[in-house]
Amino acid sequence: MSASDAALSRAQDQVRRAVDDETARPSIAGFFDEATNTVSYVVHDPESSEAAIIDSVLDFEAASGRTSHGSADLVVEYVNTKKLKVNWLIETHAHADHISAAPYLQERVGGKLAIGKDIIRVQEVFGKLFNAGTDFERDGSQFDHLFEDGEKFALGKLEGIALHVPGHTPADMAFIIGDAAFVGDTIFMPDFGTARADFPGGDAGQLFRSIRRLLSLPDETRLFLCHDYKAPGRDDYAWETTVKQQREGNVHVKDGVTEAEFVEMRTSRDKTLAMPTLIMPSVQVNIRGGRLPDPEDNGVSYIKIPVNAV
């Protein structure tokens, strides 16, 4: 058995145990930011109150370049009200559609900032694109921890495991905690489909294989998504589904869809999509662990926009 297969097998066993034992399941609160269509999560062990915050959002006004903390403060309020101990501030990947609030949250509620180890590949690509210079370290050192595929972690008595699910970007990770999987941008609600794969380092075939890896988890696995855009005909935002629902009904990747069919669909569809509104500020900040570029000699941080380069 390969290391990748062994990691998936461990995740499957973990979910089965949690399905059979409600004390092995996490308490989960989702915080939806409509401006970026992003869902942040606070996940905790009800017994020990140990918690993780996943995919937090820093409010950013593109026209003025101003940041604010309304979204993050809702998370802080929840953590404090519940008297949670934050162990982890997890990023499923280096987001291109919103800026992470992890450094702000770390100052207020603690926790180790973590992402998948292949962030170094993303840093290399975008470090060159933004001409970040030699002062920008491309080794993941902006984060406190880099998760490996199959790596175990815990929130109190809750078991967790990280799975590498590249394709949207090279560094995407899913984090399975008890019976819940936090899958980042790999997949959306069944009626909306899947993530794009045309960013630098993205690969539609790899995304298909990553999604099928996730859909090899038990049918009962709860999937918590990073985004929702309300598919045509649906009036409400939604961000929780199951493996069974995805396998039976995902409009892009349900059972029976082949990799070749998916790649053809995904490649054609991606050619019609505009770049995310906040891609330039988001990527520059998020490859730095959610920190702004170093201030220049006037004390101001600047976001670069490469002209005719993408």
Side-chain angles (χ1 to χ4, degrees), residues 11-291:
Q12 291 167 332
D13 289 343
Q14 174 188 296
V15 171
R16 292 188 189 104
R17 288 192 295 272
V19 168
D20 291 338
D21 179 6
E22 65 179 18
T23 66
R25 301 174 206 160
S27 177
I28 300 165
F31 298 82
F32 186 71
D33 177 60
E34 191 166 359
T36 61
N37 295 92
T38 302
V39 193
S40 305
Y41 297 99
V42 179
V43 188
H44 78 271
D45 170 24
E47 183 174 331
S48 69
S49 295
E50 292 187 10
I53 299 172
I54 301 176
D55 291 337
S56 60
V57 174
L58 180 73
D59 301 320
F60 181 78
E61 185 181 88
S64 66
R66 292 190 176 277
T67 62
S68 56
H69 305 102
S71 297
D73 284 338
L74 292 175
V75 173
V76 172
E77 180 182 11
Y78 179 84
V79 167
N80 290 337
T81 298
K82 294 287 187 179
K83 297 181 170 57
L84 303 180
K85 177 187 176 183
V86 176
N87 291 354
W88 293 102
L89 300 162
I90 292 174
E91 303 292 341
T92 54
H93 62 294
H95 309 277
D97 41 33
H98 72 273
I99 294 175
S100 168
Y104 176 82
L105 291 170
Q106 193 170 45
E107 291 179 356
R108 283 151 184 81
V109 297
K112 290 183 178 181
L113 175 55
I115 199 168
K117 72 178 183 63
D118 282 289
I119 186 62
I120 61 177
R121 294 178 56 192
V122 179
Q123 289 176 328
E124 185 63 34
V125 170
F126 285 100
K128 290 178 181 177
L129 176 63
F130 293 114
N131 197 29
T134 56
D135 289 340
F136 173 58
E137 300 291 343
R138 296 160 170 83
D139 58 2
S141 57
Q142 299 85 353
F143 299 84
D144 299 316
H145 185 79
L146 302 181
F147 275 104
E148 303 265 356
D149 183 47
E151 183 175 344
K152 295 180 180 181
F153 62 102
L155 295 177
K157 292 185 177 180
L158 296 182
E159 296 176 323
I161 190 168
L163 293 181
H164 189 210
V165 287
H168 174 63
T169 80
D172 282 63
M173 300 289 285
F175 294 87
I176 295 83
I177 302 172
D179 67 329
F182 300 87
V183 299
D185 285 13
T186 54
I187 198 166
F188 300 137
M189 290 299 290
D191 58 359
F192 199 87
T194 58
R196 65 195 299 165
D198 61 334
F199 294 148
D203 182 281
Q206 194 174 52
L207 177 61
F208 177 86
R209 295 187 294 275
S210 291
I211 291 171
R212 296 311 304 181
R213 189 184 196 202
L214 288 172
L215 299 187
S216 296
L217 293 168
D219 283 352
E220 303 92 337
T221 309
R222 295 182 290 162
L223 303 181
F224 291 87
L225 317 179
C226 190
H227 297 288
D228 187 57
Y229 302 95
K230 287 197 295 191
R234 175 156 54 86
D235 295 328
D236 299 319
Y237 290 110
W239 48 82
E240 180 181 349
T241 179
T242 66
V243 164
K244 181 177 173 37
Q245 290 168 342
Q246 293 284 9
R247 293 186 65 160
E248 292 180 348
N250 187 284
V251 294
H252 293 168
V253 73
K254 64 185 176 183
D255 286 355
V257 175
T258 67
E259 181 173 338
E261 290 170 337
F262 176 81
V263 169
E264 181 180 4
M265 177 282 301
R266 190 69 265 170
T267 303
S268 298
R269 182 177 173 85
D270 287 349
K271 290 178 181 178
T272 71
L273 301 178
M275 286 290 102
T277 301
L278 296 181
I279 186 171
M280 295 303 174
S282 295
V283 172
Q284 286 178 77
V285 174
N286 292 337
I287 60 175
R288 292 175 166 87
R291 299 172 184 87

